[in-house]
Amino acid sequence: MARRSPPDYEYYPFFFLGILCSLIGIITNSSNNAYSVSAMSSVSKGASAAAANAASSTYRGALIFLHGLGDTPGGWMSLEQQLPRLQPRLDARDVKYVFPAAPTIPITINGGVSMPGWFDLYDWPIGVGSKDDRVGLMEGVDQIRAEVDRLQTEDGIPPNKIVVGGFSQGGAVALLSCYHQNQEGGGAKKFAGCAGLSAWLTLPKEVAESTEDGKEDPRKEIPLFWGHGTYDDKVLFEQQQFGIEKLSNEFGLDFNLITSTQYPIGHQSCEQETKDLAEFVDRALFGDDDDDDDDDDDDSTDAGKDAKADL
C-alpha cells in the first residue's frame, strides 16, 4: 500500500486525530493478518516443495564425505569416479556426492596457525583419552546436519538414503554426526550408513550416555564401516578397537552392523580400503539386491589413495 502524506491538522486537531487512529488500527490489523497468511503460506509451500522434490528426485541416494585436517574437498572428490568403477550402482547419475569444506581455524598442535580443520586438536599423536574440542565438534555436526537438510529439501533424498563418511578429522565428525547428532534420542535421524577412515570416536562418554537401554533409537540402526591402518602414528590404531567397543557395548550399536577392516599402512588410505568402502556404501544404499551385473573385478583400477595422508 502506498504511503500518503499526512493531512493538515492546523484547524481540526482532535477530529482528524481520531480519524487517524482509526485508520492506523485498520491498517495494522490488515498488515498483521496479511503477514500471518503469508507466513503460513511459506511454511506450507516449503513442505510441499520438499515432498515434490522427494517424489521427483532422480537420485537414489547420497554420500557426504569429509576431508581431513589441512586438506580441501578436492582431496577426496576422486571418490565420485573411483567408487562407481568398483560398484556401478554408485554412478554419480544415481548417487549425489557431497564434499563439504571445513572452516579455516587456529590449530593448537600447529602452534595456533590457522588451517582447514573441523575442530581444534590439543594432543599429538591422537590416542585414546585425547582432549576433545566439543564446541568445534558440535559446529561440525551442525554443518553436516545442514548438508543433510539441503539434500532432503532440494534433491528429495531422505536421511535413510544418505551415507555420512570421512577421513581422520572428517571421519571423527562423521561418527558424531551419526551416533551423537547433537541431541538425545528424540528427533534423531537414521542414516543409510556411517564410514570412518582412520577416524576416532570423540566425546565417547556423551555418545554412550545419549541413549537409553531398551529404548528405540534410530541412531542404533546405522551401519558402520571403520577402516584403519595398523601402523597409523597420527590417529593411533588403538582408536579403532576403543571406538567400536564403546559404540557396541555402551551405546548399543548392534555388532552385526559394524564392519571393521585393518590395513598394513600408516595414516593414509589405500586401494583395498577404497574397494571395501565402495562395497559398504553400495550395500548401505541399495542392500544386497543384484540388479546390476557386478562382475567388475578389474585390478587395473586406479582406485585408492595411497598418497593421501592428511589428518
Side-chain angles (χ1 to χ4, degrees), residues 11-294:
Y11 300 107
Y12 307 104
F14 297 105
F15 175 75
F16 281 104
L17 185 59
I19 294 176
L20 180 62
C21 289
S22 299
L23 286 173
I24 289 175
I26 294 171
I27 293 171
T28 301
N29 289 336
S30 176
S31 299
N32 286 341
N33 290 338
Y35 175 79
S36 299
V37 172
S38 175
M40 291 173 65
S41 176
S42 297
V43 172
S44 177
K45 287 179 181 177
S48 299
N53 286 339
S56 62
S57 177
T58 59
Y59 293 109
R60 300 174 63 196
L63 170 64
I64 301 174
F65 197 90
L66 288 65
H67 63 78
L69 179 70
D71 199 7
T72 66
W76 289 88
M77 282 183 175
S78 59
L79 287 178
E80 191 168 345
Q81 290 78 44
Q82 294 171 356
L83 298 189
R85 284 200 290 267
L86 296 163
Q87 297 290 337
R89 291 189 295 187
L90 300 181
D91 189 283
R93 289 169 296 186
D94 296 318
V95 175
K96 182 158 187 176
Y97 290 81
V98 180
F99 301 93
T104 298
I105 60 173
I107 301 296
T108 298
I109 63 168
N110 198 34
V113 176
S114 293
M115 61 195 308
W118 295 102
F119 51 90
D120 198 4
L121 293 173
Y122 308 103
D123 299 316
W124 192 257
I126 302 169
V128 173
S130 293
K131 181 180 177 182
D132 292 325
D133 170 21
R134 189 184 190 283
V135 173
L137 284 161
M138 289 300 102
E139 289 176 350
V141 170
D142 289 342
Q143 183 174 339
I144 302 313
R145 181 189 294 118
E147 295 288 353
V148 171
D149 291 343
R150 192 174 298 114
L151 286 171
Q152 189 166 12
T153 57
E154 295 181 5
D155 298 294
I157 307 173
N160 65 355
K161 283 296 182 180
I162 299 173
V163 174
V164 182
F167 176 80
S168 193
Q169 249 206 353
V173 173
L175 286 168
L176 277 194
S177 296
C178 289
Y179 302 113
H180 187 296
Q181 299 191 21
N182 201 10
Q183 58 188 307
E184 296 182 4
K189 295 179 172 64
K190 180 193 181 301
F191 294 108
C194 179
L197 280 56
S198 302
W200 73 100
L201 182 65
T202 55
L203 306 176
K205 188 171 186 293
E206 278 193 34
V207 172
E209 293 178 352
S210 69
T211 187
E212 299 177 17
D213 290 338
K215 184 177 180 180
E216 286 190 13
D217 190 330
R219 296 173 299 174
K220 295 180 182 180
E221 301 173 13
I222 303 174
L224 170 65
F225 172 83
W226 192 322
H228 217 112
T230 56
Y231 300 113
D232 195 332
D233 60 349
K234 295 179 176 64
V235 179
L236 302 184
F237 179 54
E238 65 184 23
Q239 290 280 19
Q240 186 190 50
Q241 181 178 350
F242 172 81
I244 289 175
E245 289 182 351
K246 202 78 175 178
L247 287 172
S248 59
N249 297 340
E250 297 183 37
F251 176 74
L253 181 64
D254 191 330
F255 194 76
N256 292 322
L257 294 175
I258 301 174
T259 301
S260 64
T261 57
Q262 300 79 36
Y263 312 93
I265 56 175
H267 191 69
Q268 61 195 82
S269 188
C270 63
E271 183 175 345
Q272 184 57 52
E273 185 175 51
T274 305
K275 290 181 179 179
D276 294 338
L277 174 65
E279 183 179 336
F280 171 80
V281 174
D282 179 79
R283 187 171 63 250
L285 292 178
F286 308 120
D288 295 321
D289 293 337
D290 230 358
D291 20 353
D292 294 315
D293 289 333
D294 205 1

